[in-house]
Structure formats: structure tokens, C-alpha cells
Amino acid sequence: MRSSSPGECDERLERANKASNAELEHGGIRSLIQSRRIIGEGGAAGNGGRVTACDGRYGLGWADGAGSKRITAAIAFVVALPLIVAIWIFDPFRVRRAVSLLGASLSLAVIATIGNLVPLSHENAFSEWNYVSYFAHSGVDAVGAYWQQGYLQSDKMVTDRLRSVGTDSCEPPGKRPHIILVHDESSFDIRAVEGVKVPPGYGQHFRSFDGKARKLLVEGAGGPSWYTEYNVLSGLSSRSYGRFQFFVTRIAAGRVERGLPRALQRCGYRTHAIYPVNGGFLGASSYYKGVGIADFVDGKALGGDVFEPDRFYFDAALRMIERERRQGPMFLYVYLTANHFTWDYQFHPELTPAGWRDPGNTIPEVNEYLRRQAMSEGDYAGFLAGLKRNFPGEEFLIVRYGDHQPDFAKLLIDPTIDAWELGERLLRFDPRYFTTYYAIDAINFTPAAVGSALDVLDAPYLPLIVQEAAGVPLDSSFAEQKRILERCAGLFYGCADGAEARRFNRALIEAGLIKGL
């Protein structure tokens, strides 16, 4: 392992941390495990993705020693709480309320002034320092952002109102197919990265029933799956939340009712979701139920670990379909996790496809990523075979999508740029860093219409694609969104610098489909 001089080390640390900051602006999981690729093998990534040393170590500070830190914090709390109460009770010194109020006001004014002068560094939310100052600073930042736009960007008024969705009829002709929407974790066609070696036959997984390979533009780079969940369930943009984008599902829970599950309920569908972790994560359970998921099954109910092979969730889906299919057409959202970060270890090596050989990429994580993709492709083929075998008389529409690229991809797409340029590209939403895939499959069913399924599509339009492919009549909100799709050639928030999204948000508010925002 090559050692670094102090000057070289400082330069590499600075570059790696700038890359980490750029990623933090997009709300992803802040591991940035590939920081070691920027600073060289002599560097170390730690403290939530922030590189802190050039001593040959590398790890995630937010995970290291987490158990001992919790114990220390608990002991400190037990000891400190009664001591603080005793001091408050027996302290002989008292300050008049008017004086204390003046002092508090002056302190708040100083915090607000400094907070407005110094940009907030979101990386501190994942670090081990500046707890109090970050808390205060984030409060100033959040209050300022809320004062300017509220939680959600929307026009002050709208001229064309949506017809009440409750008055929309839904009489799809003939038998309605069961609809399965598959969240394919961290999946994209890695051939978009120049020079990456892939195994023979790679790429078929990204093709639809008609042989086309379609691209999906998502809103997070390398981490924030919940942005795309909001896109594909609500049919709206997480970018409309501005400063509050990171908290989109928590804010939307109980406030945003418009979405794909709700629209399908109107047409007689029973709505289900299989979610891999505890439903309290980022308010997922409340959000899903708010947009129309009636049956939410989380990781605790499933009895699995946080990360399971795809077949684990597909088997759960087959069991659910067996139980529920006789009650009417189903909508089932299946969330997969096999290709979740990190890729520095072999995930379930016993499930490696027969004959698998590493393609020979110099970065081991890329080879592991491709191995897991091969596992996912095999598990998906097994799921399709199970649907055909177990339910020979049933019709199915299956739509899959990648929620974001793996977090190492941003450092490989153009390795010639420095960290500042990478940050600028992410802030400009350069499509190279936000492109995944979506695919449409069918069993015993021919998709009714795929004219809106463009070769490149913004993720908020995916619910529209699902409904048209299933032959479900669009309600007034999705009919209006289809007109936006046609005007904007597949862009949503990026169309007219967000103007179309702001207008549409206001229309949904006026129609009662978004409340309290």
C-alpha cells in the first residue's frame, strides 16, 4: 500500500469530501464507499462518508462502534437528567423573564444571521460532530425555506381546474389484469459506463415485452430510493419539495392522496405492498396507506432481514396472490433489496448463478454488483415461471423500474473530472447520473396501450404508463398529466424549469388530492 505525503493526503481528503458533500445534497445514503478510489488506496473513508485520514484504513464512521456509543449515551442520559433537574431546582440565581426573553431573542438573531450567511452543510446530519450547531443551523435553514415556499412548490392560483376525481367513471372493457409493480433496487444498465466489462448476454433484463430497452429518469443519485417511491406511487416530483426533498414521504404521508394505488382502487383493484424494512422508516407505512395501499406488509411482518435475495420477496408475492386473487384484480407493489449497497462483500454466495465468472473489472464492487444483477435476473425469471405455473388462467401486467444507480456509478461515469465538477453535474441533474430503466412485461395479456411509454421517461409518469398498459381509464388528474407528458416530451419537473409541476401541484390542491401543503 502506497503511503501519502501530508500535502498529497490533504488534497485527496479535500477532493473526497467535496464529492461526499455533493452527494449529500441529493439525500442519498452517505456511505460514498468509493471515496477510496478518489484518494487512492492510502486513504480512509469514515464518519458517514467523510474521509478523515490517509492511514490505510477505510470504513463507515456512522456504523463503527454504534453499539458502544448507544450504551455510553444511555448512561450519560441516566446520570445527567437528575443532575440537571437538581441544578434547576436548587440554583439560587434567578433572571427576570424579560431579561431572559431578550437574551433568547438576541441569541436567535445571531443564529439566524450566521445561518443565512453560511450555507448549511447537510453532511453534518450524518457526521459525529457539530450536533448542536447543526441542529440550530438546520432549524434556521428549514424555517427560511418554509417561509419562502412552504413544503411544496405550487402556483398561487390555477386557471384550469381538474374535474373532481370522484365523478370520474371507471368501466374498463373486459377482464382487468393483475398489476405488479417491481422496485428493482439500485439497478441500471451499467453499459452506460464506458469501459465496464459485462458478462455474455448482459442487458436482456432491461428489455420489455416488445423488445425495447427504455430509460427512466429518476431524481436521486446513488441512494434515496424513497424519492423514486414517491415518483411511481404518487406520480409527482420529489424535487417540488425543494429544501425538504429528503423528507418527502414523511411530509406527504396523509397529505398527498393522489396516486396510482388510489386511481386503481377507483377501478375495483385491491391494493397491496410488500416492503422490506419496518414501516416506520421515513414514514413509509403512513405514506403508502395515504396514497391508497390498503394492505401494507413490512419487513417485520415478513420475518426477513433488511436485505434478502429477490426470491424471498417474489415468493411472498406468490403467496399473497394465491390468497387474494379471487377477491378481484390486484395491484401489488414489490420492493426488492438484493442489490442494495454495499458491494464490498459477496451477498449470498450460495445463490451465485451456475457458470458465473467475474467479468474482470479492476474495481471489485463492480463485479459484485454484476453478480447480484445476474442473481436478480434469475430470480425474476423464476417469479414469471411461478406466475405461469400457479395461475394459468390469470392475466398479469408486470412493470419494473430501477430506483437509482448504485452509489459508485457517479465516480465511474466520467473519472476524468474533479469532485467540484461532479457536484455541479449532480446539481444540474445531468441525466447520465440519473438514468435507470423501466420495463413492461405481461403474462396471458397483451398491454392495451404503450404509446406514452417513451424511450426516455421521467419517473413521475410511470403510474400513467401502468394504467394505460393495463387498459384502465385515466381519471381527470392523470388525463391532465398525460397532456403535460405530450407537451414536455417525457419531462416533468425539468419541463419549463418546474413551471408545469408547480401548476399541476396547485391543480391537485384545488381538487382536494393534496391537503395541508
Short mmCIF file of all heavy atoms in Angstrom, two decimals, residues 256-320:
data_model
loop_
_atom_site.label_atom_id
_atom_site.label_comp_id
_atom_site.label_asym_id
_atom_site.label_seq_id
_atom_site.Cartn_x
_atom_site.Cartn_y
_atom_site.Cartn_z
N VAL A 256 -50.81 13.79 0.74
CA VAL A 256 -50.92 13.54 -0.70
C VAL A 256 -51.72 12.26 -0.89
O VAL A 256 -51.25 11.17 -0.58
CB VAL A 256 -49.52 13.40 -1.35
CG1 VAL A 256 -49.65 13.08 -2.83
CG2 VAL A 256 -48.73 14.69 -1.16
N GLU A 257 -52.93 12.39 -1.40
CA GLU A 257 -53.80 11.24 -1.62
C GLU A 257 -53.77 10.77 -3.06
O GLU A 257 -54.05 9.60 -3.35
CB GLU A 257 -55.25 11.59 -1.23
CG GLU A 257 -55.42 11.91 0.25
CD GLU A 257 -56.86 12.19 0.61
OE1 GLU A 257 -57.73 12.12 -0.30
OE2 GLU A 257 -57.14 12.48 1.79
N ARG A 258 -53.40 11.63 -3.95
CA ARG A 258 -53.39 11.30 -5.37
C ARG A 258 -52.27 10.31 -5.67
O ARG A 258 -51.17 10.44 -5.18
CB ARG A 258 -53.19 12.58 -6.17
CG ARG A 258 -53.36 12.42 -7.67
CD ARG A 258 -52.08 12.21 -8.39
NE ARG A 258 -52.30 12.32 -9.84
CZ ARG A 258 -51.37 12.26 -10.76
NH1 ARG A 258 -50.12 12.09 -10.39
NH2 ARG A 258 -51.67 12.37 -12.03
N GLY A 259 -52.57 9.31 -6.47
CA GLY A 259 -51.52 8.37 -6.82
C GLY A 259 -52.06 7.15 -7.55
O GLY A 259 -53.27 6.99 -7.75
N LEU A 260 -51.15 6.29 -7.94
CA LEU A 260 -51.51 5.09 -8.69
C LEU A 260 -52.40 4.15 -7.90
O LEU A 260 -53.43 3.70 -8.43
CB LEU A 260 -50.22 4.38 -9.14
CG LEU A 260 -50.40 3.04 -9.86
CD1 LEU A 260 -51.20 3.20 -11.14
CD2 LEU A 260 -49.03 2.41 -10.15
N PRO A 261 -52.07 3.79 -6.64
CA PRO A 261 -52.96 2.88 -5.92
C PRO A 261 -54.38 3.42 -5.77
O PRO A 261 -55.35 2.68 -5.93
CB PRO A 261 -52.27 2.73 -4.56
CG PRO A 261 -50.84 3.07 -4.81
CD PRO A 261 -50.87 4.14 -5.85
N ARG A 262 -54.49 4.71 -5.47
CA ARG A 262 -55.83 5.31 -5.30
C ARG A 262 -56.60 5.27 -6.61
O ARG A 262 -57.80 4.98 -6.62
CB ARG A 262 -55.66 6.76 -4.83
CG ARG A 262 -56.96 7.46 -4.51
CD ARG A 262 -57.50 7.04 -3.17
NE ARG A 262 -56.60 7.43 -2.08
CZ ARG A 262 -56.69 6.96 -0.85
NH1 ARG A 262 -57.62 6.07 -0.56
NH2 ARG A 262 -55.84 7.35 0.08
N ALA A 263 -55.92 5.55 -7.72
CA ALA A 263 -56.61 5.52 -9.01
C ALA A 263 -57.08 4.10 -9.35
O ALA A 263 -58.16 3.92 -9.91
CB ALA A 263 -55.67 6.04 -10.10
N LEU A 264 -56.28 3.11 -9.00
CA LEU A 264 -56.67 1.73 -9.28
C LEU A 264 -57.78 1.26 -8.35
O LEU A 264 -58.64 0.46 -8.75
CB LEU A 264 -55.45 0.81 -9.17
CG LEU A 264 -54.37 1.03 -10.23
CD1 LEU A 264 -53.15 0.17 -9.95
CD2 LEU A 264 -54.92 0.74 -11.63
N GLN A 265 -57.78 1.74 -7.12
CA GLN A 265 -58.90 1.43 -6.21
C GLN A 265 -60.22 1.88 -6.80
O GLN A 265 -61.25 1.19 -6.68
CB GLN A 265 -58.68 2.11 -4.85
CG GLN A 265 -57.76 1.36 -3.91
CD GLN A 265 -57.69 2.04 -2.56
OE1 GLN A 265 -57.87 3.26 -2.44
NE2 GLN A 265 -57.42 1.27 -1.52
N ARG A 266 -60.20 3.03 -7.43
CA ARG A 266 -61.41 3.55 -8.08
C ARG A 266 -61.94 2.58 -9.11
O ARG A 266 -63.15 2.51 -9.36
CB ARG A 266 -61.06 4.89 -8.73
CG ARG A 266 -62.15 5.57 -9.53
CD ARG A 266 -61.63 6.85 -10.15
NE ARG A 266 -60.55 6.60 -11.09
CZ ARG A 266 -60.73 6.40 -12.40
NH1 ARG A 266 -61.96 6.42 -12.90
NH2 ARG A 266 -59.70 6.20 -13.19
N CYS A 267 -61.06 1.77 -9.69
CA CYS A 267 -61.45 0.82 -10.72
C CYS A 267 -61.58 -0.60 -10.19
O CYS A 267 -61.53 -1.57 -10.96
CB CYS A 267 -60.44 0.86 -11.87
SG CYS A 267 -60.40 2.44 -12.73
N GLY A 268 -61.72 -0.73 -8.88
CA GLY A 268 -62.01 -2.03 -8.30
C GLY A 268 -60.80 -2.86 -7.91
O GLY A 268 -60.95 -4.02 -7.52
N TYR A 269 -59.61 -2.28 -7.98
CA TYR A 269 -58.42 -3.03 -7.60
C TYR A 269 -58.24 -3.06 -6.09
O TYR A 269 -58.51 -2.08 -5.39
CB TYR A 269 -57.17 -2.41 -8.24
CG TYR A 269 -56.91 -2.84 -9.66
CD1 TYR A 269 -57.61 -2.26 -10.72
CD2 TYR A 269 -56.00 -3.85 -9.95
CE1 TYR A 269 -57.39 -2.65 -12.03
CE2 TYR A 269 -55.76 -4.25 -11.26
CZ TYR A 269 -56.46 -3.65 -12.28
OH TYR A 269 -56.24 -4.06 -13.58
N ARG A 270 -57.77 -4.20 -5.60
CA ARG A 270 -57.35 -4.34 -4.21
C ARG A 270 -55.85 -4.07 -4.16
O ARG A 270 -55.09 -4.66 -4.93
CB ARG A 270 -57.68 -5.73 -3.68
CG ARG A 270 -59.19 -6.03 -3.71
CD ARG A 270 -59.48 -7.50 -3.52
NE ARG A 270 -59.07 -7.96 -2.20
CZ ARG A 270 -59.81 -7.86 -1.11
NH1 ARG A 270 -61.02 -7.30 -1.18
NH2 ARG A 270 -59.38 -8.32 0.05
N THR A 271 -55.42 -3.21 -3.28
CA THR A 271 -54.06 -2.69 -3.34
C THR A 271 -53.20 -3.24 -2.21
O THR A 271 -53.59 -3.21 -1.03
CB THR A 271 -54.07 -1.15 -3.30
OG1 THR A 271 -54.79 -0.72 -2.13
CG2 THR A 271 -54.74 -0.58 -4.54
N HIS A 272 -52.00 -3.73 -2.55
CA HIS A 272 -51.10 -4.37 -1.60
C HIS A 272 -49.68 -3.88 -1.83
O HIS A 272 -49.32 -3.49 -2.95
CB HIS A 272 -51.13 -5.90 -1.77
CG HIS A 272 -52.50 -6.49 -1.81
ND1 HIS A 272 -53.08 -7.08 -0.71
CD2 HIS A 272 -53.40 -6.61 -2.82
CE1 HIS A 272 -54.29 -7.53 -1.03
NE2 HIS A 272 -54.51 -7.25 -2.30
N ALA A 273 -48.86 -3.95 -0.79
CA ALA A 273 -47.44 -3.62 -0.90
C ALA A 273 -46.63 -4.55 -0.02
O ALA A 273 -47.01 -4.86 1.11
CB ALA A 273 -47.17 -2.17 -0.52
N ILE A 274 -45.50 -5.01 -0.56
CA ILE A 274 -44.52 -5.79 0.19
C ILE A 274 -43.29 -4.92 0.34
O ILE A 274 -42.61 -4.59 -0.64
CB ILE A 274 -44.19 -7.11 -0.53
CG1 ILE A 274 -45.42 -8.03 -0.54
CG2 ILE A 274 -43.00 -7.81 0.12
CD1 ILE A 274 -45.23 -9.30 -1.34
N TYR A 275 -43.00 -4.53 1.58
CA TYR A 275 -41.95 -3.54 1.89
C TYR A 275 -40.89 -4.23 2.74
O TYR A 275 -41.22 -4.95 3.69
CB TYR A 275 -42.59 -2.37 2.63
CG TYR A 275 -41.71 -1.17 2.83
CD1 TYR A 275 -41.42 -0.33 1.76
CD2 TYR A 275 -41.19 -0.86 4.08
CE1 TYR A 275 -40.62 0.80 1.94
CE2 TYR A 275 -40.40 0.26 4.27
CZ TYR A 275 -40.12 1.08 3.20
OH TYR A 275 -39.33 2.19 3.38
N PRO A 276 -39.60 -4.02 2.47
CA PRO A 276 -38.57 -4.86 3.07
C PRO A 276 -38.18 -4.54 4.51
O PRO A 276 -37.61 -5.39 5.20
CB PRO A 276 -37.37 -4.66 2.14
CG PRO A 276 -37.55 -3.28 1.60
CD PRO A 276 -39.04 -3.12 1.45
N VAL A 277 -38.43 -3.32 4.99
CA VAL A 277 -38.00 -2.94 6.33
C VAL A 277 -39.21 -2.48 7.13
O VAL A 277 -40.34 -2.50 6.66
CB VAL A 277 -36.92 -1.84 6.28
CG1 VAL A 277 -35.68 -2.35 5.58
CG2 VAL A 277 -37.44 -0.58 5.59
N ASN A 278 -38.94 -2.06 8.37
CA ASN A 278 -40.02 -1.60 9.23
C ASN A 278 -40.77 -0.45 8.59
O ASN A 278 -40.17 0.48 8.04
CB ASN A 278 -39.44 -1.17 10.58
CG ASN A 278 -40.51 -0.88 11.61
OD1 ASN A 278 -41.25 0.09 11.50
ND2 ASN A 278 -40.62 -1.74 12.61
N GLY A 279 -42.07 -0.49 8.66
CA GLY A 279 -42.90 0.52 8.01
C GLY A 279 -42.73 1.92 8.55
O GLY A 279 -43.17 2.89 7.92
N GLY A 280 -42.07 2.06 9.71
CA GLY A 280 -41.82 3.39 10.25
C GLY A 280 -40.69 4.11 9.56
O GLY A 280 -40.53 5.33 9.76
N PHE A 281 -39.92 3.42 8.71
CA PHE A 281 -38.79 4.06 8.05
C PHE A 281 -39.27 5.18 7.14
O PHE A 281 -40.02 4.95 6.19
CB PHE A 281 -38.00 3.03 7.25
CG PHE A 281 -36.83 3.60 6.48
CD1 PHE A 281 -35.74 4.10 7.14
CD2 PHE A 281 -36.85 3.61 5.10
CE1 PHE A 281 -34.66 4.63 6.44
CE2 PHE A 281 -35.77 4.13 4.38
CZ PHE A 281 -34.68 4.64 5.06
N LEU A 282 -38.86 6.41 7.45
CA LEU A 282 -39.23 7.59 6.67
C LEU A 282 -40.74 7.71 6.46
O LEU A 282 -41.20 8.23 5.45
CB LEU A 282 -38.51 7.58 5.32
CG LEU A 282 -36.99 7.77 5.40
CD1 LEU A 282 -36.34 7.50 4.06
CD2 LEU A 282 -36.65 9.19 5.86
N GLY A 283 -41.50 7.23 7.44
CA GLY A 283 -42.95 7.33 7.36
C GLY A 283 -43.57 6.52 6.25
O GLY A 283 -44.66 6.84 5.77
N ALA A 284 -42.90 5.42 5.84
CA ALA A 284 -43.34 4.67 4.66
C ALA A 284 -44.76 4.14 4.82
O ALA A 284 -45.59 4.28 3.92
CB ALA A 284 -42.38 3.51 4.39
N SER A 285 -45.06 3.51 5.96
CA SER A 285 -46.39 2.92 6.14
C SER A 285 -47.49 3.97 6.00
O SER A 285 -48.48 3.77 5.29
CB SER A 285 -46.48 2.25 7.51
OG SER A 285 -47.77 1.73 7.74
N SER A 286 -47.32 5.10 6.67
CA SER A 286 -48.33 6.17 6.60
C SER A 286 -48.44 6.73 5.19
O SER A 286 -49.54 7.00 4.70
CB SER A 286 -47.98 7.29 7.58
OG SER A 286 -47.99 6.82 8.90
N TYR A 287 -47.29 6.89 4.53
CA TYR A 287 -47.32 7.42 3.17
C TYR A 287 -48.02 6.45 2.22
O TYR A 287 -48.90 6.85 1.44
CB TYR A 287 -45.91 7.71 2.67
CG TYR A 287 -45.87 7.94 1.17
CD1 TYR A 287 -46.47 9.05 0.60
CD2 TYR A 287 -45.28 6.99 0.32
CE1 TYR A 287 -46.48 9.23 -0.77
CE2 TYR A 287 -45.27 7.17 -1.04
CZ TYR A 287 -45.88 8.29 -1.59
OH TYR A 287 -45.90 8.46 -2.95
N TYR A 288 -47.64 5.19 2.26
CA TYR A 288 -48.23 4.20 1.35
C TYR A 288 -49.74 4.12 1.55
O TYR A 288 -50.51 4.10 0.57
CB TYR A 288 -47.61 2.82 1.59
CG TYR A 288 -46.29 2.57 0.91
CD1 TYR A 288 -45.20 3.41 1.11
CD2 TYR A 288 -46.11 1.47 0.09
CE1 TYR A 288 -43.98 3.19 0.49
CE2 TYR A 288 -44.89 1.22 -0.52
CZ TYR A 288 -43.83 2.08 -0.33
OH TYR A 288 -42.63 1.83 -0.93
N LYS A 289 -50.16 4.08 2.80
CA LYS A 289 -51.61 3.99 3.06
C LYS A 289 -52.32 5.26 2.61
O LYS A 289 -53.46 5.21 2.13
CB LYS A 289 -51.84 3.73 4.54
CG LYS A 289 -51.38 2.35 4.97
CD LYS A 289 -51.52 2.14 6.48
CE LYS A 289 -51.01 0.75 6.89
NZ LYS A 289 -51.08 0.55 8.36
N GLY A 290 -51.64 6.39 2.73
CA GLY A 290 -52.24 7.65 2.31
C GLY A 290 -52.50 7.73 0.83
O GLY A 290 -53.44 8.41 0.40
N VAL A 291 -51.67 7.07 0.00
CA VAL A 291 -51.87 7.11 -1.45
C VAL A 291 -52.70 5.93 -1.94
O VAL A 291 -52.85 5.75 -3.15
CB VAL A 291 -50.53 7.17 -2.21
CG1 VAL A 291 -49.82 8.48 -1.93
CG2 VAL A 291 -49.64 5.97 -1.90
N GLY A 292 -53.22 5.11 -0.99
CA GLY A 292 -54.18 4.10 -1.41
C GLY A 292 -53.77 2.66 -1.23
O GLY A 292 -54.49 1.76 -1.69
N ILE A 293 -52.64 2.37 -0.58
CA ILE A 293 -52.27 0.98 -0.31
C ILE A 293 -53.06 0.51 0.90
O ILE A 293 -52.83 0.97 2.03
CB ILE A 293 -50.76 0.83 -0.06
CG1 ILE A 293 -49.97 1.17 -1.32
CG2 ILE A 293 -50.43 -0.57 0.44
CD1 ILE A 293 -50.15 0.17 -2.45
N ALA A 294 -53.97 -0.43 0.69
CA ALA A 294 -54.82 -0.90 1.78
C ALA A 294 -54.14 -1.96 2.62
O ALA A 294 -54.38 -2.05 3.83
CB ALA A 294 -56.13 -1.45 1.20
N ASP A 295 -53.29 -2.76 2.01
CA ASP A 295 -52.63 -3.88 2.70
C ASP A 295 -51.12 -3.67 2.61
O ASP A 295 -50.51 -3.98 1.60
CB ASP A 295 -53.05 -5.20 2.07
CG ASP A 295 -52.36 -6.41 2.70
OD1 ASP A 295 -52.00 -6.33 3.89
OD2 ASP A 295 -52.19 -7.42 1.99
N PHE A 296 -50.54 -3.15 3.69
CA PHE A 296 -49.11 -2.84 3.72
C PHE A 296 -48.42 -3.88 4.59
O PHE A 296 -48.65 -3.96 5.80
CB PHE A 296 -48.89 -1.44 4.28
CG PHE A 296 -47.44 -1.01 4.36
CD1 PHE A 296 -46.81 -0.46 3.25
CD2 PHE A 296 -46.73 -1.16 5.54
CE1 PHE A 296 -45.48 -0.06 3.32
CE2 PHE A 296 -45.40 -0.77 5.62
CZ PHE A 296 -44.77 -0.22 4.51
N VAL A 297 -47.56 -4.69 3.98
CA VAL A 297 -46.83 -5.74 4.69
C VAL A 297 -45.36 -5.34 4.75
O VAL A 297 -44.69 -5.27 3.71
CB VAL A 297 -46.99 -7.10 3.98
CG1 VAL A 297 -46.24 -8.19 4.75
CG2 VAL A 297 -48.46 -7.47 3.83
N ASP A 298 -44.85 -5.08 5.95
CA ASP A 298 -43.47 -4.61 6.06
C ASP A 298 -42.52 -5.74 6.43
O ASP A 298 -42.93 -6.91 6.57
CB ASP A 298 -43.36 -3.45 7.04
CG ASP A 298 -43.61 -3.85 8.49
OD1 ASP A 298 -43.88 -5.04 8.76
OD2 ASP A 298 -43.53 -2.96 9.37
N GLY A 299 -41.25 -5.39 6.57
CA GLY A 299 -40.23 -6.39 6.83
C GLY A 299 -40.45 -7.14 8.13
O GLY A 299 -40.12 -8.33 8.22
N LYS A 300 -40.99 -6.47 9.14
CA LYS A 300 -41.25 -7.15 10.41
C LYS A 300 -42.28 -8.24 10.22
O LYS A 300 -42.12 -9.36 10.74
CB LYS A 300 -41.74 -6.13 11.44
CG LYS A 300 -41.98 -6.71 12.81
CD LYS A 300 -42.40 -5.63 13.80
CE LYS A 300 -42.63 -6.22 15.19
NZ LYS A 300 -43.05 -5.18 16.17
N ALA A 301 -43.33 -7.95 9.47
CA ALA A 301 -44.37 -8.96 9.23
C ALA A 301 -43.85 -10.09 8.34
O ALA A 301 -44.25 -11.25 8.50
CB ALA A 301 -45.59 -8.31 8.58
N LEU A 302 -42.95 -9.76 7.42
CA LEU A 302 -42.38 -10.78 6.54
C LEU A 302 -41.43 -11.71 7.28
O LEU A 302 -41.24 -12.86 6.88
CB LEU A 302 -41.62 -10.12 5.39
CG LEU A 302 -42.46 -9.41 4.32
CD1 LEU A 302 -41.56 -8.61 3.39
CD2 LEU A 302 -43.30 -10.41 3.53
N GLY A 303 -40.80 -11.20 8.35
CA GLY A 303 -39.88 -12.01 9.12
C GLY A 303 -38.52 -12.17 8.48
O GLY A 303 -37.81 -13.15 8.78
N GLY A 304 -38.13 -11.26 7.62
CA GLY A 304 -36.84 -11.36 6.95
C GLY A 304 -35.84 -10.37 7.51
O GLY A 304 -36.15 -9.54 8.37
N ASP A 305 -34.60 -10.48 7.01
CA ASP A 305 -33.59 -9.49 7.34
C ASP A 305 -33.82 -8.24 6.49
O ASP A 305 -34.68 -8.22 5.60
CB ASP A 305 -32.19 -10.06 7.06
CG ASP A 305 -31.82 -11.16 8.05
OD1 ASP A 305 -32.32 -11.11 9.19
OD2 ASP A 305 -31.05 -12.06 7.67
N VAL A 306 -33.02 -7.22 6.75
CA VAL A 306 -33.17 -5.98 5.99
C VAL A 306 -32.94 -6.23 4.51
O VAL A 306 -33.67 -5.74 3.65
CB VAL A 306 -32.19 -4.91 6.51
CG1 VAL A 306 -32.24 -3.66 5.63
CG2 VAL A 306 -32.53 -4.55 7.95
N PHE A 307 -31.92 -7.02 4.19
CA PHE A 307 -31.61 -7.33 2.80
C PHE A 307 -31.77 -8.83 2.58
O PHE A 307 -31.12 -9.64 3.25
CB PHE A 307 -30.18 -6.89 2.44
CG PHE A 307 -29.90 -5.46 2.75
CD1 PHE A 307 -28.77 -5.09 3.46
CD2 PHE A 307 -30.76 -4.45 2.33
CE1 PHE A 307 -28.50 -3.76 3.75
CE2 PHE A 307 -30.51 -3.13 2.62
CZ PHE A 307 -29.38 -2.78 3.32
N GLU A 308 -32.61 -9.17 1.64
CA GLU A 308 -32.87 -10.56 1.30
C GLU A 308 -32.72 -10.74 -0.21
O GLU A 308 -32.88 -9.78 -0.98
CB GLU A 308 -34.28 -10.98 1.71
CG GLU A 308 -34.52 -11.02 3.21
CD GLU A 308 -33.96 -12.28 3.86
OE1 GLU A 308 -33.36 -13.10 3.13
OE2 GLU A 308 -34.11 -12.43 5.08
N PRO A 309 -32.45 -11.96 -0.67
CA PRO A 309 -32.46 -12.20 -2.12
C PRO A 309 -33.83 -11.88 -2.70
O PRO A 309 -34.86 -11.96 -2.01
CB PRO A 309 -32.15 -13.70 -2.22
CG PRO A 309 -31.50 -14.06 -0.92
CD PRO A 309 -32.11 -13.16 0.11
N ASP A 310 -33.86 -11.52 -3.96
CA ASP A 310 -35.13 -11.14 -4.59
C ASP A 310 -36.17 -12.24 -4.49
O ASP A 310 -37.37 -11.98 -4.36
CB ASP A 310 -34.89 -10.77 -6.05
CG ASP A 310 -34.09 -9.49 -6.22
OD1 ASP A 310 -33.89 -8.79 -5.20
OD2 ASP A 310 -33.68 -9.19 -7.35
N ARG A 311 -35.72 -13.49 -4.54
CA ARG A 311 -36.68 -14.60 -4.49
C ARG A 311 -37.47 -14.61 -3.20
O ARG A 311 -38.59 -15.11 -3.17
CB ARG A 311 -35.95 -15.93 -4.68
CG ARG A 311 -34.94 -16.28 -3.58
CD ARG A 311 -34.20 -17.57 -3.88
NE ARG A 311 -33.43 -17.46 -5.11
CZ ARG A 311 -32.74 -18.48 -5.65
NH1 ARG A 311 -32.77 -19.67 -5.06
NH2 ARG A 311 -32.05 -18.30 -6.75
N PHE A 312 -36.90 -14.07 -2.13
CA PHE A 312 -37.62 -14.00 -0.86
C PHE A 312 -38.90 -13.18 -1.01
O PHE A 312 -39.98 -13.57 -0.55
CB PHE A 312 -36.71 -13.39 0.21
CG PHE A 312 -37.36 -13.18 1.55
CD1 PHE A 312 -37.43 -14.21 2.47
CD2 PHE A 312 -37.90 -11.95 1.88
CE1 PHE A 312 -38.03 -14.02 3.71
CE2 PHE A 312 -38.49 -11.74 3.12
CZ PHE A 312 -38.56 -12.78 4.03
N TYR A 313 -38.78 -12.01 -1.66
CA TYR A 313 -39.94 -11.14 -1.84
C TYR A 313 -40.87 -11.66 -2.94
O TYR A 313 -42.09 -11.52 -2.83
CB TYR A 313 -39.46 -9.72 -2.14
CG TYR A 313 -38.53 -9.19 -1.07
CD1 TYR A 313 -37.15 -9.09 -1.30
CD2 TYR A 313 -39.02 -8.84 0.18
CE1 TYR A 313 -36.30 -8.63 -0.31
CE2 TYR A 313 -38.17 -8.38 1.18
CZ TYR A 313 -36.81 -8.29 0.92
OH TYR A 313 -35.96 -7.85 1.91
N PHE A 314 -40.29 -12.25 -3.97
CA PHE A 314 -41.14 -12.83 -5.02
C PHE A 314 -41.96 -13.99 -4.48
O PHE A 314 -43.13 -14.15 -4.84
CB PHE A 314 -40.28 -13.28 -6.21
CG PHE A 314 -39.78 -12.16 -7.08
CD1 PHE A 314 -38.50 -12.18 -7.61
CD2 PHE A 314 -40.59 -11.06 -7.37
CE1 PHE A 314 -38.04 -11.15 -8.43
CE2 PHE A 314 -40.15 -10.03 -8.18
CZ PHE A 314 -38.87 -10.08 -8.71
N ASP A 315 -41.37 -14.82 -3.63
CA ASP A 315 -42.13 -15.92 -3.02
C ASP A 315 -43.26 -15.38 -2.15
O ASP A 315 -44.38 -15.94 -2.14
CB ASP A 315 -41.20 -16.81 -2.19
CG ASP A 315 -40.26 -17.66 -3.04
OD1 ASP A 315 -40.51 -17.75 -4.26
OD2 ASP A 315 -39.29 -18.22 -2.50
N ALA A 316 -42.98 -14.30 -1.41
CA ALA A 316 -44.04 -13.67 -0.61
C ALA A 316 -45.14 -13.15 -1.51
O ALA A 316 -46.34 -13.24 -1.17
CB ALA A 316 -43.45 -12.54 0.23
N ALA A 317 -44.77 -12.61 -2.67
CA ALA A 317 -45.78 -12.11 -3.62
C ALA A 317 -46.64 -13.25 -4.16
O ALA A 317 -47.87 -13.11 -4.27
CB ALA A 317 -45.08 -11.38 -4.77
N LEU A 318 -46.02 -14.38 -4.49
CA LEU A 318 -46.79 -15.53 -4.99
C LEU A 318 -47.77 -16.02 -3.94
O LEU A 318 -48.93 -16.36 -4.26
CB LEU A 318 -45.84 -16.66 -5.39
CG LEU A 318 -44.98 -16.40 -6.64
CD1 LEU A 318 -43.95 -17.52 -6.82
CD2 LEU A 318 -45.85 -16.29 -7.89
N ARG A 319 -47.36 -16.06 -2.68
CA ARG A 319 -48.28 -16.49 -1.62
C ARG A 319 -49.43 -15.50 -1.47
O ARG A 319 -50.59 -15.89 -1.27
CB ARG A 319 -47.51 -16.62 -0.30
CG ARG A 319 -46.49 -17.76 -0.29
CD ARG A 319 -46.01 -18.03 1.14
NE ARG A 319 -45.34 -16.89 1.74
CZ ARG A 319 -44.03 -16.65 1.65
NH1 ARG A 319 -43.25 -17.48 0.95
NH2 ARG A 319 -43.49 -15.60 2.25
N MET A 320 -49.12 -14.21 -1.56
CA MET A 320 -50.17 -13.20 -1.43
C MET A 320 -51.17 -13.30 -2.59
O MET A 320 -52.39 -13.20 -2.38
CB MET A 320 -49.55 -11.80 -1.37
CG MET A 320 -50.56 -10.69 -1.22
SD MET A 320 -49.78 -9.06 -1.10
CE MET A 320 -49.11 -9.14 0.57
#
